[in-house]
Amino acid sequence: MAIHPRITGGRRQGPLPLTLKRALLAAITVATAISILCFLSFTDTVSFTDTLSFLGFPPRDVDKREGNRRYLYWGSRVDCPGKHCGSCVGLGHQESSLRCALEEALFLDRILVMPSKMCLSSVHNARGTLYTSNATSEQRWETGSCAMESLYDLDLMSRTVPVILDNPRSWYEIISRSTKLGEAGVVDVQGVSRVELKENPNYSSALLINRTASPLAWFMECKDRTKRSSVMLPYTFLPTMATKKLRDAANKMKEILGDYDAIRVRRGDLLKNRKDRFGVERSLHPHLDRDTRPEFIKKRIARWIKPGRTLFIASNERTPGFFSPLSDRYKLAYSSNFSSILDPIIQNNYQLFMLERLIMQGAKTFVKTMKESDKDLALCDDPKKNTKDWQEPVYTDD
């Protein structure tokens, strides 16, 4: 359920008119209110304040243990700033943004109200639905998303950062407390640092801090992540929060693999070439296509992985038998070899990638496609970040 950014700049939402509360109280029961919330949870056009006004019933008695709970809300879709929700990025990108929100909740000692669904990018999800041109944005969202609980173990995550989903039940509890608190219920913020949110009583005293007013993508709010002191959650946090069924399946696969090594070969979505004005092919990663071909992989990993080892390969390469030339030196294994384990539980490529990450974490030696830190082993030395430097692809030894 989205909170429309009606008021920005840290101004508080106004209290509900008392006459309106009394008028609607007799007409709406708690059960009806929850049904209304179920409907409102799927629209981005109704504000949080409008929802409170429409429900019009007094809050239920709140357990005293809940009295000090405070909440943080970034939006109904991960990495969806303002109204620009038409596009969808890959899991890794969305996780960067989700980790940003989790870190802020941890810093502010608040409960993060997390989106109930994760957007599935058609570029990164081969099993995704092909949308018709006349489909509405909400139809595309419903068919191109998956339940957050199908990816992450929220109970496990809450041991580090308490989270709840933005489903009707959760919102009902927050709404109940908000009506009781009046002006101290909700505060909308835009362009406010996490330090000010924590230290300024105008924000810190609010029940719910609403960040949906910001036009920026979530990860843009974490510009100081380059400073190690500001990184509260490691990159490995979300990969280890995979839901239990994915962790159990990964453990079964690792038991079958035994003592193994692993490589991740990312090709498809990164091999984007374009021609310059002279018709010459250019690429942002000029060595990537070459370095992720079997003959070059074999030479690259020879110094790290001995012949005869079991080698698990995780890749988005779709050409059948593409990595077969490596079989003269290694015992190759893929996720497709474990269909009896995976077919009952894997519904999209995001789940598959999360499971494969667990497999790669358990490898004796793991080689990435490109380095993310100086200590990483990698197939390609091209920088992973987009340098916007289009160069001619290189296919020979240099």
Side-chain angles (χ1 to χ4, degrees), residues 60-252:
R60 62 180 175 82
D61 292 332
V62 179
D63 191 308
K64 292 181 179 179
R65 292 171 298 179
E66 299 178 359
N68 293 325
R69 291 184 181 179
R70 297 290 184 268
Y71 300 90
L72 174 67
Y73 184 62
W74 280 58
S76 60
R77 305 181 191 180
V78 176
D79 205 28
C80 181
K83 298 181 180 179
H84 304 288
C85 302
S87 59
C88 181
V89 292
L91 177 65
H93 194 128
Q94 291 188 68
E95 282 192 337
S96 294
S97 290
L98 181 56
R99 190 167 63 251
C100 177
L102 287 166
E103 283 190 352
E104 182 165 280
L106 184 62
F107 180 82
L108 298 176
D109 193 23
R110 286 177 173 264
I111 298 172
L112 178 66
V113 185
M114 205 161 75
S116 300
K117 294 186 177 183
M118 172 76 80
C119 179
L120 298 174
S121 168
S122 58
V123 175
H124 299 278
N125 184 41
R127 300 188 184 190
T129 303
L130 295 177
Y131 312 125
T132 58
S133 59
N134 59 352
T136 66
S137 61
E138 284 303 315
Q139 288 173 332
R140 289 195 297 270
W141 166 245
E142 287 303 311
T143 57
S145 62
C146 67
M148 195 68 75
E149 291 172 298
S150 71
L151 300 175
Y152 302 106
D153 186 333
L154 302 185
D155 290 335
L156 180 61
M157 187 182 298
S158 291
R159 296 177 187 177
T160 304
V161 186
V163 298
I164 60 172
L165 296 177
D166 63 346
N167 54 36
R169 181 178 178 181
S170 299
W171 278 123
Y172 169 65
E173 294 178 354
I174 297 174
I175 287 171
S176 297
R177 288 186 58 193
S178 296
T179 57
K180 185 175 182 179
L181 293 172
E183 292 185 355
V186 184
V187 58
D188 296 336
V189 299
Q190 179 176 355
V192 181
S193 71
R194 61 177 61 170
V195 174
E196 186 175 358
L197 290 178
K198 186 173 185 176
E199 297 179 353
N200 189 331
N202 290 329
Y203 305 120
S204 60
S205 62
L207 171 68
L208 176 66
I209 292 178
N210 170 32
R211 267 199 177 275
T212 60
S214 175
L216 299 175
W218 289 18
F219 73 94
M220 289 299 292
E221 299 288 352
C222 290
K223 293 180 180 179
D224 58 349
R225 283 189 60 84
T226 53
K227 301 178 182 177
R228 291 189 176 274
S229 60
S230 70
V231 179
M232 303 177 68
L233 295 174
Y235 174 80
T236 56
F237 177 73
L238 284 173
T240 58
M241 293 295 113
T243 187
K244 188 175 185 300
K245 68 177 182 179
L246 295 179
R247 300 200 309 271
D248 289 345
N251 288 335
K252 291 179 182 178

Side-chain angles (χ1 to χ4, degrees), residues 39-54:
F39 171 76
L40 293 178
S41 64
F42 296 108
T43 178
D44 294 329
T45 60
V46 181
S47 74
F48 193 84
T49 303
D50 290 338
T51 304
L52 299 181
S53 302
F54 186 76

Side-chain angles (χ1 to χ4, degrees), residues 331-350:
K331 302 173 185 176
L332 305 184
Y334 311 89
S335 293
S336 58
N337 300 135
F338 301 89
S339 57
S340 61
I341 297 175
L342 300 184
D343 286 353
I345 64 170
I346 298 298
Q347 299 174 322
N348 55 67
N349 277 355
Y350 283 32

Side-chain angles (χ1 to χ4, degrees), residues 349-392:
N349 277 355
Y350 283 32
Q351 290 177 318
L352 178 60
F353 178 54
M354 291 187 71
L355 184 142
E356 287 182 334
R357 285 193 306 199
L358 296 174
I359 300 296
M360 292 182 282
Q361 287 174 356
K364 181 178 180 180
T365 302
F366 172 44
V367 183
K368 300 181 178 181
T369 305
M370 290 180 284
K371 288 186 177 183
E372 294 172 353
S373 69
D374 294 337
K375 296 181 180 180
D376 289 339
L377 303 180
L379 300 174
C380 182
D381 292 325
D382 289 348
K384 183 178 180 180
K385 296 295 183 181
N386 189 347
T387 60
K388 298 183 180 180
D389 183 15
W390 292 85
Q391 304 175 48
E392 289 189 52

